[in-house]
Amino acid sequence: DFPALALVSGTTTSFATSRPSSTEEPKFMIWLMAPSVGMTRKEVKLNVGYPWKANNSKSIAELGMKYRPLKETITEFFGQLVEAGEIEKR
């Protein structure tokens, strides 16, 4: 829902200067706009600008989970949105 969040996943904080680094400014913009897109500013503060790390090896090894490729998942997701009339097919 928030593609802009993916753009700032590599933001950094600059403590050496009194001005935020240029890579931090997008986070500030998202922080400003957060309430208008259904997020709290606290959510932005705690989650934007940090790399997302996950490890699914335990679910694969212990539960035998099999995950679908991301491309297949995204394609089906948008196909469902088109079928439901939520978005128009281009």
Side-chain angles (χ1 to χ4, degrees), residues 6 8 16 20 39 44 69 72 79 86:
V8 295
M39 291 182 70
V44 173
E72 181 182 324
E86 296 293 326

Side-chain angles (χ1 to χ4, degrees), residues 13-27:
T13 305
S14 175
F15 295 105
T17 64
S18 59
R19 184 181 178 284
S21 68
S22 61
T23 57
E24 190 174 301
E25 290 168 355
K27 180 176 180 175

Side-chain angles (χ1 to χ4, degrees), residues 13-73:
T13 305
S14 175
F15 295 105
T17 64
S18 59
R19 184 181 178 284
S21 68
S22 61
T23 57
E24 190 174 301
E25 290 168 355
K27 180 176 180 175
F28 177 72
M29 295 301 291
I30 292 172
W31 181 84
L32 282 176
M33 297 172 48
S36 66
V37 294
M39 291 182 70
T40 65
R41 290 187 170 145
K42 183 177 181 180
E43 287 176 306
V44 173
K45 178 183 175 187
L46 296 176
N47 296 295
V48 175
Y50 301 99
W52 187 73
K53 298 177 183 179
N55 184 345
N56 62 2
S57 60
K58 187 173 181 179
S59 65
I60 292 170
E62 294 182 15
L63 301 174
M65 296 286 296
K66 294 181 181 175
Y67 294 96
R68 297 169 59 188
L70 182 60
K71 184 175 181 177
E72 181 182 324
T73 302

